[in-house]
Amino acid sequence: MKFSKFFMAAGVAAAMAVPLAAPSAQAAGTLTVGLTIDPGSWDPIDSFLVPWASAATNIYDGLTSRGPDMKLQPGLATSWEFLDNNNRIRFKLRENVKFHNGEPFNAAAVKFTFDRLLGDEGKKGPQQSNYNSIAKVEVVDDNTVDFFMKQPDPVLLTKLAGYGGVIVPPKYIQEKGDEYFNTHPVGTGPFKFVEYNPKVNLTLEAFPEHWGGAPKLDKVVYRMIAEANTQIAELQAGRIDIATLIPFGLTPTVQQAANLQLVSITGPTVVSLRLNTRDGITKDLKVRKALNMAVDREAIIKAVLLGHAKPIASFQSELSFGYDPSMKPVSFDMAGAKKLLQEAGVQPGAALKIDFRGNDATFREVAQAAAGFFQALGLKPSVQPYEPAVLLNDIIPNGKTGEAWHNAWGGWTFDYDNTAYLMYHSGEKWNPYGNDKKLDELLESQRKIYDVKEREKILQEVARYVADQALEIPLYNQNTILGVNKRVKNFTAPADLRFRFTNVTVE
């Protein structure tokens, strides 16, 4: 499998299209963005949080790149080629690229980045496991590196476009240390670090020497604003230009403001009620199917999410690789659900508990709505809120849930593997009850295949099998929602909130 010629051509074309670095006089002011939380560290190996990527995608570059159109493109690598029966990947690197501190980008920087990520420092963060398919990285020459693979990884090229796979400066980190790097990041991206005040703001300024051309903005300021009402008030007042925290119930507030635009687009986040297949009434397949039929997804989307979502048939967005458009969400059918429940021998008033993240006000309403449907089915439902850390790190992985629990998942790679393997493979943290050999075999087989069509076929089979076994109640794919001041121009909202502001201007 060879991509060299195509991507070499793409790299040359991109280089020809890149303008010379524009003088700062052409820059167009400051853009201010509201983030929900402070990641606490700007080191790529320390975080999986979306707010980290919302800022850091402007600081760092990966070997590959992916924009709002979801298409994979050359980044710091201009081409790549699969060798040795797909066990080695050779990357040709972009020349004459500099880090923000003036340090040269080269093959040694790539090797340092992945040695660090896959070594002891990487063990301290959550990103290492995403790249464990890599055995080692070796320098061929200054502009060429080889990735030697432990096993096939058909999602690797996408993973190299962000988060833990972005390239960091060796000399800077060796001289300053990891702790300093956490709060003073340096990359090769279009904006460079200026100032960081924890839990307050992060300030970046244009890096005119960026290989993709100078940004049109002078600065980007990220403000950490955890309260939705505060973000919206600051947006209305013009003190932030982009708000990333717009609850569904407050979307009309943004829509009605003359100076603002509400952006509501299909995103990666999907929400479901996972079902306990080991204990209680939900260990019976008929009961699980009855519960699926008893929930009116359209009604929940209309009443709670104000239409900013779509019902789903599997635990993935329509943007996901592996999505099967022929699968349809389970239709609301209370009469059919009652019949199935009766066939299963479930007595009226049987208990059903829904565990959920207590800080999620929207899902609290969803859980209450679902409980209402289950009560109409003849059950005795209850809802149990938990602190997110308790639910995610104790209740779910240790198999201590009730009959149903809240599951929300993003999956920035937009590849069903990165959801399905973690959700349904035996022994995974998010799969406390499942031990299905057929499902394990399907999930493992697609990880060994680079052929796109063959792999997609297997992933679609996984989705159908999960639906047949009713392992969960897929609820909805919620929209990515932003509030944007109309003075912001040339901005295309990314579904995964990985902002890249190179071509954005403000009036």
Side-chain angles (χ1 to χ4, degrees):
M1 185 182 300
K2 295 187 177 182
F3 300 112
S4 288
K5 292 183 179 178
F6 170 78
F7 282 111
M8 274 294 190
V12 171
M16 291 174 66
V18 170
L20 296 174
S24 58
Q26 292 181 11
T30 298
L31 179 78
T32 305
V33 183
L35 295 183
T36 53
I37 58 174
D38 183 348
S41 169
W42 298 103
D43 187 331
I45 65 176
D46 286 344
S47 181
F48 59 87
L49 298 171
V50 171
W52 180 92
S54 294
T57 301
N58 288 290
I59 300 173
Y60 300 104
D61 293 312
L63 294 178
T64 62
S65 174
R66 193 188 67 194
D69 64 0
M70 308 298 294
K71 293 180 180 178
L72 201 63
Q73 299 175 346
L76 290 175
T78 56
S79 68
W80 45 89
E81 183 178 7
F82 286 75
L83 304 169
D84 301 343
N85 197 28
N86 296 333
N87 290 314
R88 178 164 58 102
I89 310 173
R90 173 161 290 184
F91 291 89
K92 291 292 185 180
L93 305 181
R94 196 175 294 277
E95 299 182 27
N96 301 317
V97 174
K98 290 183 179 181
F99 287 98
H100 301 148
N101 64 336
E103 190 175 335
F105 161 76
N106 52 29
V110 177
K111 178 174 172 54
F112 173 85
T113 294
F114 286 93
D115 285 351
R116 180 173 182 264
L117 172 61
L118 300 173
D120 290 340
E121 189 63 29
K123 286 180 182 177
K124 300 175 186 177
Q127 283 295 330
Q128 188 180 88
S129 62
N130 285 328
Y131 302 88
N132 274 336
S133 59
I134 304 168
K136 62 179 178 178
V137 174
E138 289 192 354
V139 173
V140 178
D141 58 43
D142 271 358
N143 302 309
T144 312
V145 292
D146 281 351
F147 278 50
F148 290 84
M149 307 300 294
K150 292 179 186 174
Q151 60 201 44
D153 186 350
V155 193
L156 179 64
L157 292 176
T158 298
K159 289 187 285 193
L160 294 178
Y163 287 90
V166 295
I167 307 302
V168 298
K171 185 178 178 182
Y172 179 80
I173 293 176
Q174 289 166 341
E175 290 180 351
K176 299 291 187 180
D178 294 305
E179 190 172 339
Y180 186 84
F181 183 57
N182 289 347
T183 54
H184 298 77
V186 167
T188 63
F191 290 87
K192 63 182 181 179
F193 169 82
V194 174
E195 183 183 34
Y196 171 49
N197 296 298
K199 298 183 180 180
V200 180
N201 57 39
L202 170 74
T203 301
L204 309 178
E205 69 179 15
F207 181 52
E209 298 173 73
H210 187 252
W211 56 267
K216 295 179 173 61
L217 292 164
D218 286 313
K219 290 183 179 180
V220 178
V221 177
Y222 294 89
R223 291 178 54 196
M224 320 306 175
I225 306 173
E227 296 294 327
N229 286 329
T230 306
Q231 276 211 24
I232 292 174
E234 292 294 277
L235 182 69
Q236 289 175 312
R239 288 188 287 268
I240 63 174
D241 298 302
I242 300 176
T244 58
L245 183 57
I246 310 289
F248 300 104
L250 293 178
T251 53
T253 302
V254 178
Q255 286 175 310
Q256 292 162 12
N259 64 325
L260 304 179
Q261 176 188 3
L262 181 76
V263 176
S264 182
I265 59 174
T266 299
T269 302
V270 284
V271 178
S272 75
L273 282 173
R274 297 289 297 283
L275 298 173
N276 184 337
T277 57
R278 185 190 67 193
D279 309 311
I281 62 172
T282 47
K283 64 184 178 183
D284 189 313
L285 176 58
K286 285 186 176 180
V287 173
R288 299 198 299 270
K289 289 192 171 184
L291 295 176
N292 263 277
M293 295 164 66
V295 175
D296 189 340
R297 295 157 178 77
E298 294 282 7
I300 290 175
I301 290 169
K302 183 178 180 180
V304 181
L305 285 75
L306 302 186
H308 295 287
K310 298 175 183 177
I312 52 176
S314 61
F315 199 47
Q316 58 184 318
S317 152
E318 65 184 33
L319 301 175
S320 167
F321 178 80
Y323 175 78
D324 185 351
S326 71
M327 288 182 66
K328 303 301 178 186
V330 176
S331 298
F332 175 55
D333 181 1
M334 186 63 77
K338 287 181 177 179
K339 183 180 178 183
L340 266 183
L341 207 62
Q342 189 175 30
E343 289 176 8
V346 175
Q347 297 299 311
L352 185 147
K353 181 162 72 80
I354 301 172
D355 298 323
F356 71 99
R357 304 178 199 182
N359 69 332
D360 191 327
T362 297
F363 194 82
R364 182 183 294 269
E365 292 185 52
V366 172
Q368 290 169 344
F373 289 120
F374 297 150
Q375 186 171 10
L377 186 57
L379 303 174
K380 186 178 180 181
S382 60
V383 293
Q384 176 64 57
Y386 285 96
E387 288 291 328
V390 173
L391 181 66
L392 300 178
N393 298 318
D394 178 22
I395 301 301
I396 294 173
N398 291 316
K400 301 190 313 193
T401 72
E403 287 71 24
W405 76 90
H406 171 204
N407 197 26
W409 198 257
W412 78 275
T413 61
F414 292 86
D415 191 297
Y416 188 43
D417 165 80
N418 293 114
T419 300
Y421 199 97
L422 298 175
M423 297 298 121
Y424 314 125
H425 193 280
S426 298
E428 289 292 329
K429 175 180 179 178
W430 306 114
N431 185 28
Y433 306 116
N435 185 13
D436 189 314
K437 289 184 178 179
K438 179 178 179 180
L439 200 46
D440 287 351
E441 288 172 1
L442 286 170
L443 289 165
E444 290 163 10
S445 67
Q446 59 84 30
R447 283 197 161 184
K448 301 172 184 176
I449 299 169
Y450 284 105
D451 183 275
V452 172
K453 290 185 178 179
E454 186 178 353
R455 204 174 145 256
E456 182 178 45
K457 183 179 177 181
I458 297 173
L459 288 173
Q460 290 176 343
E461 186 178 352
V462 168
R464 289 192 296 270
Y465 185 82
V466 169
D468 289 342
Q469 295 298 309
L471 300 182
E472 62 200 352
I473 304 173
L475 293 174
Y476 51 83
N477 169 207
Q478 66 186 47
N479 283 6
T480 293
I481 299 176
L482 298 171
V484 182
N485 193 301
K486 290 182 179 178
R487 82 186 192 106
V488 179
K489 304 298 179 184
N490 302 319
F491 170 64
T492 301
D496 55 4
L497 297 183
R498 294 179 64 229
F499 300 128
R500 187 83 157 182
F501 292 126
T502 306
N503 295 315
V504 171
T505 60
V506 288
E507 291 182 345

